[in-house]
Amino acid sequence: MCLSTVYKNTKTEDAVVMRNVMSIECKDGCVILTDLMERTVAVEGTLVSANLVEGFVIVQEA
């Protein structure tokens, strides 16, 4: 199972949006994240990059 940490704009510790993300959906200008506990967070913006080997995703906030 590949889980990722999602960062807003840059990969720094203070930019973490959510950890243990198992699902990412892009819909209507939002990036919708779901973690292992099935909690969801919506970030208005776009997906910039995803490195599933290293377990991180970067979302550019609108």
Side-chain angles (χ1 to χ4, degrees):
M1 182 183 315
C2 291
L3 299 174
S4 295
T5 300
V6 177
Y7 299 90
K8 193 182 296 181
N9 302 321
T10 184
K11 187 182 171 197
T12 60
E13 195 58 36
D14 61 330
V16 172
V17 176
M18 181 178 264
R19 297 183 192 279
N20 298 316
V21 173
M22 66 174 189
S23 171
I24 300 171
E25 180 181 355
C26 297
K27 185 175 182 181
D28 299 327
C30 286
V31 180
I32 302 165
L33 313 168
T34 305
D35 72 3
L36 274 177
M37 302 301 289
E38 297 191 14
R39 294 175 290 212
T40 61
V41 171
V43 178
E44 193 172 327
T46 57
L47 181 65
V48 174
S49 66
N51 186 324
L52 301 181
V53 172
E54 293 188 25
F56 72 88
V57 175
I58 298 177
V59 174
Q60 181 69 45
E61 190 175 32

